[in-house]
Amino acid sequence: MDKPAAPLSREQHWRKTRRLSAILLLAWLATGFCAAFFARELAGLSVFGWPLSFYLAAQGASLVYLAILAVYAWRMRKLDRAAAVEHRA
């Protein structure tokens, strides 16, 4: 189980929320940019007869986006619970 988080003030909560959002948006941007930017170099490699760039664009980027959503939901749940403890007290 998750251990209880330390209480957060409203200011700390929003600062951490903005920081998390910025980091995950940068990861999203990097994933989208890298898949397109390196597609030519990766087209020479093939997996099961298909270019590796196809797999990265079709599957890899989608899995990274799903992981970004999961990290956001998990971390925000922890941050919101910590902020709720502070506001109840």
Side-chain angles (χ1 to χ4, degrees), residues 57-79:
Q59 303 298 326
S62 298
L63 292 175
V64 171
Y65 299 150
L66 185 61
I68 288 171
L69 288 172
V71 167
Y72 181 80
W74 168 73
R75 187 68 182 131
M76 283 305 298
R77 181 178 295 138
K78 287 181 73 172
L79 287 173

Side-chain angles (χ1 to χ4, degrees), residues 3-83:
K3 64 178 183 171
L8 293 175
S9 69
R10 184 178 301 262
E11 182 181 325
Q12 290 171 323
H13 177 264
W14 285 110
R15 185 177 21 172
K16 289 186 177 206
T17 299
R18 285 191 306 264
R19 183 172 178 240
L20 175 66
S21 296
I23 290 169
L24 293 178
L25 280 171
L26 286 173
W28 170 74
L29 178 67
T31 301
F33 177 75
C34 289
F37 187 76
F38 294 111
R40 281 191 198 159
E41 287 81 12
L42 297 174
L45 303 171
S46 65
V47 177
F48 302 117
W50 292 88
L52 182 60
S53 58
F54 169 79
Y55 283 109
L56 286 178
Q59 303 298 326
S62 298
L63 292 175
V64 171
Y65 299 150
L66 185 61
I68 288 171
L69 288 172
V71 167
Y72 181 80
W74 168 73
R75 187 68 182 131
M76 283 305 298
R77 181 178 295 138
K78 287 181 73 172
L79 287 173
D80 288 344
R81 285 182 181 165

